Amino acid sequence: MQIEGIVQPGDQRGRLLGFPTANIALPTENEQLWEERSGVWSGLATLDDGTCHLATISIGRRPTFYRKDGELLAEAFLHDFQGDLYGRKLVINLEHFLRTQAKFDSVDELISAMEADAQNTEKLVTL
């Protein structure tokens, strides 16, 4: 499955957690489809300049920080990328489902899960 969109500014919380993400709002007309695919995925992200990066992607409503009515987003952590992605087109290919969305009791628990997700992506996906 593929997600394509323009990277939008977010809360910049991922940056504070050590996992800066590129945020793409998911189309509301396909909300049920995205809800069914909610969770954490590994895959590849291709930038508008053609460069490709391993990506760990969260699809959902960020349950640790928001209620069930939070905005439905795709948040992609691009491995080995540094720079500004705001306003750039990004194409994300979801390749492997890693886990369901979860509400963590602490930020430390969330960071541990994100570290494991990133490690799993590096084991499962090749450029």
Side-chain angles (χ1 to χ4, degrees), residues 2-116:
Q2 193 173 83
I3 300 168
E4 185 175 317
I6 303 298
V7 177
Q8 303 173 351
D11 297 340
Q12 297 188 355
R13 187 174 287 118
R15 185 176 305 183
L16 296 174
L17 300 175
F19 293 90
T21 59
N23 301 321
I24 297 176
L26 297 169
T28 55
E29 65 269 8
N30 295 331
E31 189 167 326
Q32 182 61 36
L33 172 75
W34 297 118
E35 291 285 359
E36 292 169 1
R37 286 163 177 77
S38 177
V40 179
W41 296 76
S42 62
L44 294 171
T46 304
L47 299 173
D48 50 12
D49 64 3
T51 59
C52 190
H53 297 269
L54 292 180
T56 304
I57 307 105
S58 174
I59 297 175
R61 299 185 185 276
R62 301 167 289 170
T64 300
F65 301 104
Y66 298 95
R67 297 182 186 138
K68 292 181 180 184
D69 60 350
E71 183 181 8
L72 187 59
L73 286 178
E75 298 177 287
F77 167 64
L78 278 59
H79 296 232
D80 299 319
F81 177 83
Q82 293 185 1
D84 183 4
L85 293 172
Y86 296 138
R88 291 182 67 180
K89 181 179 174 183
L90 187 65
V91 177
I92 301 167
N93 288 295
L94 304 176
E95 295 191 9
H96 302 277
F97 183 79
L98 299 176
R99 65 175 172 86
T100 59
Q101 287 282 305
K103 182 181 184 313
F104 294 94
D105 292 329
S106 72
V107 170
D108 289 336
E109 286 180 22
L110 173 59
I111 291 171
S112 292
M114 293 167 72
E115 288 170 346

